[in-house]
Amino acid sequence: MDNEGILQGLQDLDGRQAIRIKIIGVGGAGNNAVDRIKLDDLGQVALAVVNTDTKTLSASPIQEKLLIGRSLTRGMSAGGEAEIGRRAAEGDEELIAKMVDGVDLVFLLAGLGGGTGSGAAPVLARAAEKAGAVCLAFVTMPFTREGERRRQQAEDSLAELRESCHAVIALPNDMILQQVDEKATVLEAFAVADEWVSQGVKAIWSMLFQSGLMNVDFATLRNAFRFRGGKTLFGIGRGEGEDCVQKALADLDLCPLLHLPEYKYVNKADSLIIHICGGPDMAMAQVNQIMDAVCDKFGSRQNTVIGAVVDGAMRDAIQITVIGATEVAAGAANAASARAAAQRRRMAAASGAAANAAARRPLPEAPATDVNRLPSKEPSASKKASQDEFDFKVDDQRGFFDKTEANLYQGEDLDVPTFLRRGIRVQP
Amino acid sequence: MAQSRIVAAVEIGTSKVAVLVAEIANGRSLNIIGTGQATSSGIRKGHISNQREVCDCAHAAIAAAEKSAGAQVEGVYLAMSGAHLQGFADSGVASVSAADGIVREDDLRRARESAKMRDLPTGRLYIHHECCGYVLDGRRVADPVGMSGQRVETGYWHVHGDERITADYLHVINGIGLDVDCIVVSSIASAGVVAGEEEKKSGVLVLDIGAGTTDYALYRSGTIVRTGVIPVGGDHLTNDLAIGLRMNARYAESVKLRYGKAVVDANDKNDTVMLIGDLTIGDRPISRMSIHKIIHARLDELFTIVKNQLGSEISAQNLPAGVILTGGTARQAQICDLAHEVLGVQARVGECPQWVSEQSLRAPEFCTALGLLSEGFNAMRQRQSERSKSRWLGKLGGIFAR
């Protein structure tokens, strides 16, 4: 793929520098993920790693390295304490600011639950926000078996990340690793987790840089992620062979990330990016077919951005990536940030791009079911909306046990099918 | 003997009401003379949600049992389950009052009473007191009466339940004009049937996985150590299948019974089974793997909850006799393999004792009702033996007093 040429073209067209992308891995798991991306060689993307641990940093093949908290931990890791990770990052805020300075799109990769990942990632996200970059975070959540404490640290950190990132995609390790077959080594298992992260990054990268039938530019991407504090929906489906479209759609349907309970009620995203990557033989009819099916499933057509690119390596194969964002805040704690996001949105709408703003303004949905699911798409009612949706979510999943008392055990409703709660993919 | 020789057992379960009527012949053998069964409605997860429906089906089942037995039932043994049941252990102490240091029945009574002293919070009532044996001056003895010592201790496992829920169940039986002689916790009733005395002595866990609840009872040294209820059962499997495979509950139930398996086998990956199997409209192939995955996830979670609740009690040392599974869900294929994998001890599906001759009653679904009968039978025998013992003790006491 000749990225050089495309980039050159971009520069010529708007007479300014091409967008700058940086992938930053935070903490041990983040560093590993970035190392793996380096092997994939995305080109045109700067890679960087941030850690409190000198040993991991020096082992990494990445050029740009940043050791934080040198005075705090003397380069000997945060020891699983998120508080130490956070203080280390805050102590070196200037260095971090320099790292994200002038970057348009920051990918933050981290494994939450540990010290550096959970503590430093939110600080980096805030720095990126301050620098005016679009910040997308791909984070892995710890295994249930790692214990309550790590889970709590991860949850806290995730909530914090959602406030300052444009999109946070959380990948539960539990769910990812159940796909690995039993005989897999630990290394292979973690490679699968990293694979998910790099697939996500790659999808967005190819959207921006690969030549395509329908291109998505950076401004569109930024627009799609203009809400903060909401949940991000993310799924990948891939199909090969003769009826690759059907296969890819079926695979997307089974994508475990879309079966997590928390996504059950963001299944109507407020803005949606559908990215289709196919071989040179991909037909427009195929693209239309995918668009129809995916729009139908995940959101309204008004706020959907579609990209379709051609990759020479993808002969007879199609990969669909769906990234969606919701305005609805995850909970009462996030209501404030959702309101702030709404305000930003209004300001953006007022300042310019009237035509765009009209298209973006949520239109009243026609089908009755949609009205039930989202009683009001107005952000001012976001708190109420999330409450109503919560009811819907519970009713939808309990089936026979609908209207009986919740069967709570360690914070989970046992009446909701186990496979849904664990995100096990099941072919209907 | 004035005591009625007819024993009736009623189990109002989430899927069915089972009624067994038995006759105690010569005070030593138990003959089942009547059975009645009705499909339950109005019960979910072991709780009554529609009193009238439950009354109707319970009455139908009892009437059928009376008819087939040709006898009138007066009082029943009623099984109790549901998530409202809770248990705790408590012990009582009494010093031996007699000057000669011989333990009398009265000393035991005082020890027992002191073990039952603890007041429950309002709205709760005791359902069952299970005596876990006696300790006489540090020695474990089964029956200390007649032995000499100074201090007798007794341990109890108390099960208590919600007053209103219990009252609801009692009203169902009282509504047909019958008395409830005794309420027995389901887990204890079914354990009494599927676990033998030897197994109870060495240590065994009985898991009764019914339609709405899973009842467990843990035995060691021949007595109950713990009981408990988890409000998850076969209905959850059905519901999971219905949601996961997008079918109605009736088909899901039949798929569960026909193709259910507790472990996921990679060989089944491309295998499909037909939803209905008679090629009618709406019949479609379903992936066998999906069925197994859904059932595996649910049962795996269930066993994990059991493991979490019992903690270190579940180990090869503490449970040499392993785990015995019973209840309708125990029919799921390879459930023992999964139980073994999760709990780490040997597991097997419980078998009915030899005295149950009728083949249809030997199914795991009936073991709670059978357990109730044997509880009733034991209670009757105990009353008889107490009567004879007290006569014998009276003589003994007379000799020493001289």
Side-chain angles (χ1 to χ4, degrees):
Chain A
M1 188 55 44
D2 184 15
N3 293 316
E4 218 54 67
I6 300 156
L7 281 176
Q8 199 59 51
L10 270 177
Q11 280 177 17
D12 291 348
L13 274 179
D14 20 270
R16 60 183 166 86
Q17 262 216 312
I19 50 167
R20 273 170 301 177
I21 299 183
K22 194 173 249 184
I23 302 177
I24 304 175
V26 189
N31 289 11
N32 289 342
V34 174
D35 291 356
R36 184 164 297 278
I37 285 175
K38 175 153 175 83
L39 297 178
D40 293 342
D41 187 29
L42 293 181
Q44 297 307 312
V45 175
L47 303 175
V49 287
V50 175
N51 208 342
T52 49
D53 184 7
T54 4
K55 226 166 64 193
T56 328
L57 266 188
S58 56
S60 168
I62 308 296
Q63 296 278 312
E64 192 179 349
K65 298 175 187 182
L66 175 60
L67 178 68
I68 51 170
R70 193 192 294 269
S71 56
L72 201 67
T73 66
R74 289 179 296 131
M76 290 200 291
S77 100
E81 291 288 335
E83 183 58 29
I84 291 180
R86 194 176 59 79
R87 270 169 32 209
E90 280 171 354
D92 288 325
E93 241 167 353
E94 283 163 31
L95 292 173
I96 289 173
K98 210 179 281 173
M99 194 173 221
V100 294
D101 185 40
V103 179
D104 300 298
L105 177 59
V106 174
F107 287 102
L108 270 184
L109 313 185
L112 298 190
T116 313
S118 322
V123 180
L124 264 134
R126 275 196 291 276
E129 187 190 21
K130 219 187 269 175
V134 172
C135 182
L136 310 180
F138 283 84
V139 295
T140 55
M141 302 297 283
F143 291 105
T144 319
R145 283 174 216 268
E146 286 180 75
E148 182 61 20
R149 198 182 122 73
R150 282 178 80 89
R151 194 190 63 79
Q152 194 54 47
Q153 277 192 15
E155 294 282 341
D156 291 349
S157 174
L158 186 64
E160 230 181 303
L161 275 173
R162 283 204 168 116
E163 272 173 34
S164 41
C165 285
H166 290 80
V168 182
I169 292 147
L171 310 158
N173 270 342
D174 281 338
M175 185 271 320
I176 289 171
L177 295 201
Q178 82 198 358
Q179 299 180 294
V180 181
D181 89 80
E182 278 173 23
K183 293 180 198 100
T185 60
V186 182
L187 233 71
E188 284 167 340
F190 281 106
V192 170
D194 289 345
E195 182 61 32
W196 274 100
V197 173
S198 73
Q199 268 190 11
V201 173
K202 231 197 278 181
I204 294 174
W205 169 82
S206 80
M207 210 182 284
L208 294 171
F209 288 121
Q210 281 184 309
S211 66
L213 304 170
M214 290 186 270
N215 272 327
V216 177
D217 59 19
F218 183 64
T220 325
L221 187 73
R222 185 165 49 194
N223 231 333
F225 291 129
R226 66 194 177 280
F227 320 116
R228 291 177 213 216
K231 291 198 171 178
T232 311
L233 168 140
F234 177 72
I236 295 177
R238 195 189 163 91
E240 279 168 37
E242 221 164 79
D243 47 352
C244 54
V245 172
Q246 284 311 320
K247 280 184 189 158
L249 285 172
D251 194 41
L252 179 69
D253 217 24
L254 291 180
C255 178
L257 293 175
L258 298 174
H259 285 268
L260 297 177
E262 61 186 77
Y263 292 130
K264 280 291 154 183
Y265 67 107
V266 294
N267 57 4
K268 290 286 172 197
D270 289 307
S271 64
L272 189 67
I273 299 177
I274 306 170
H275 178 66
I276 304 163
C277 185
D281 48 352
M282 180 168 61
M284 197 62 210
Q286 288 180 314
V287 175
N288 280 337
Q289 194 185 347
I290 292 171
M291 270 163 49
D292 280 350
V294 176
C295 288
D296 219 39
K297 190 165 164 49
F298 295 107
S300 60
R301 219 168 271 263
Q302 274 82 21
N303 302 312
T304 305
V305 176
I306 292 148
V309 303
V310 169
D311 185 336
M314 298 270 291
R315 198 159 287 280
D316 279 339
I318 275 185
Q319 179 168 321
I320 312 172
T321 310
V322 177
I323 302 169
T326 45
E327 278 180 76
V328 178
N334 282 345
S337 73
R339 272 195 294 278
Q343 195 156 17
R344 273 198 297 278
R345 206 185 63 132
R346 272 196 293 277
M347 276 160 64
S351 64
N356 267 353
R360 256 183 277 142
R361 188 164 297 137
L363 297 173
E365 291 287 334
T369 50
D370 264 348
V371 175
N372 284 342
R373 284 176 192 195
L374 283 172
S376 158
K377 286 201 171 181
E378 273 311 305
S380 58
S382 68
K383 196 170 169 185
K384 181 179 169 290
S386 73
Q387 188 60 48
D388 286 350
E389 285 191 8
F390 180 73
D391 290 345
F392 164 74
K393 168 198 161 203
V394 169
D395 286 355
D396 193 35
Q397 295 183 357
R398 304 182 79 215
F400 175 69
F401 301 106
D402 182 18
K403 298 192 179 71
T404 61
E405 252 173 78
N407 204 342
L408 289 178
Y409 177 76
Q410 294 187 348
E412 290 186 71
D413 184 357
L414 293 181
D415 289 341
V416 175
T418 317
F419 75 91
L420 281 181
R421 276 179 281 125
R422 295 194 184 172
I424 293 174
R425 58 158 132 185
V426 162
Q427 195 162 12
Chain B
M1 192 162 50
Q3 190 66 45
S4 157
R5 284 156 179 265
I6 297 284
V7 183
V10 178
E11 186 206 6
I12 302 176
T14 307
S15 73
K16 60 162 186 7
V17 179
V19 181
L20 297 180
V21 180
E23 179 187 40
I24 296 174
N26 306 326
R28 60 184 62 178
S29 76
L30 188 68
N31 297 327
I32 296 168
I33 54 172
T35 60
Q37 217 192 128
T39 307
S40 287
S41 59
I43 300 190
R44 281 191 188 170
K45 292 180 274 181
H47 286 186
I48 294 179
S49 59
N50 185 330
Q51 183 90 18
R52 191 183 299 166
E53 282 180 10
V54 177
C55 283
D56 286 348
C57 50
H59 294 179
I62 292 172
E66 279 187 332
K67 197 172 169 211
S68 76
Q72 190 74 32
V73 173
E74 280 161 18
V76 302
Y77 273 68
L78 180 67
M80 193 68 171
S81 182
H84 66 103
L85 295 183
Q86 283 170 338
F88 65 91
D90 208 353
S91 60
V93 188
S95 40
V96 177
S97 56
D100 53 11
I102 300 282
V103 180
R104 304 278 152 83
E105 189 55 49
D106 189 52
D107 300 321
L108 297 188
R109 190 183 51 74
R110 276 185 292 118
R112 284 201 297 261
E113 268 167 16
S114 80
K116 294 178 190 173
M117 288 255 279
R118 187 184 291 189
D119 283 335
L120 292 174
T122 50
R124 307 288 298 177
L125 61 85
Y126 281 116
I127 305 280
H128 196 100
H129 302 282
E130 182 76 20
C131 182
C132 310
Y134 299 94
V135 175
L136 182 63
D137 294 343
R139 285 179 295 156
R140 258 195 100 84
V141 283
D143 187 0
V145 173
M147 299 171 87
S148 62
Q150 291 177 335
R151 206 173 111 97
V152 61
E153 267 178 75
T154 176
Y156 263 85
W157 177 255
H158 305 280
V159 180
H160 55 101
D162 187 277
E163 218 167 57
R164 279 170 302 172
I165 295 173
T166 313
D168 284 345
Y169 273 94
L170 293 179
H171 286 154
V172 170
I173 302 301
N174 293 339
I176 199 176
L178 297 178
D179 290 330
V180 175
D181 287 341
C182 184
I183 295 180
V184 184
V185 180
S186 295
S187 50
I188 298 175
S190 41
V193 174
V194 292
E197 286 307 317
E198 279 310 309
E199 288 170 320
K200 287 181 185 171
K201 277 209 177 84
S202 54
V204 69
L205 171 70
V206 179
L207 266 178
D208 181 347
I209 313 176
T213 58
T214 296
D215 300 75
Y216 61 80
L218 183 77
Y219 284 82
R220 204 179 306 133
S221 315
T223 60
I224 284 178
V225 182
R226 277 187 74 163
T227 65
V229 181
I230 299 163
V232 171
D235 275 353
H236 286 85
L237 289 178
T238 307
N239 188 42
D240 291 2
L241 288 171
I243 291 177
L245 303 176
R246 302 185 193 146
M247 54 178 79
N248 68 26
R250 198 160 56 88
Y251 290 145
E253 176 77 16
S254 110
V255 164
K256 175 184 84 175
L257 297 180
R258 283 182 297 160
Y259 306 115
K261 192 160 96 170
V263 294
V264 180
D265 192 343
N267 294 338
D268 295 332
K269 196 159 190 178
N270 296 315
D271 202 4
T272 58
V273 293
M274 294 311 282
L275 170 59
I276 312 167
D278 59 358
L279 299 173
T280 49
I281 295 169
D283 205 2
R284 63 182 167 98
I286 355 169
S287 156
R288 207 182 263 272
M289 189 89 164
S290 298
I291 301 174
H292 299 168
K293 269 185 183 173
I294 291 173
I295 290 177
H296 172 82
R298 174 61 79 177
L299 291 175
D300 181 80
E301 179 183 62
L302 177 61
F303 291 135
T304 310
I305 294 173
V306 171
K307 195 179 165 72
N308 288 346
Q309 290 199 348
L310 290 172
S312 61
E313 303 276 12
I314 296 187
S315 67
Q317 287 88 18
N318 283 336
L319 294 177
V323 176
I324 301 178
L325 300 171
T326 182
T329 308
R331 285 163 174 268
Q332 289 290 307
Q334 299 199 347
I335 192 169
C336 296
D337 297 346
L338 181 66
H340 181 204
E341 186 192 318
V342 179
L343 299 173
V345 288
Q346 283 301 326
R348 65 179 176 88
V349 174
E351 277 170 19
C352 270
Q354 288 306 315
W355 57 265
V356 186
S357 52
E358 196 164 337
Q359 204 57 40
S360 62
L361 294 180
R362 297 179 64 90
E365 290 93 327
F366 283 99
C367 73
T368 306
L370 290 171
L372 289 174
L373 281 187
S374 73
E375 282 279 332
F377 178 53
N378 288 344
M380 201 170 281
R381 282 218 302 204
Q382 202 171 352
R383 273 197 293 275
Q384 281 177 0
S385 71
E386 262 167 27
R387 222 171 286 135
S388 56
K389 195 161 64 179
S390 60
R391 255 175 285 157
W392 177 76
L393 245 192
K395 271 183 205 157
L396 190 81
I399 294 165
F400 277 94
R402 240 185 290 166

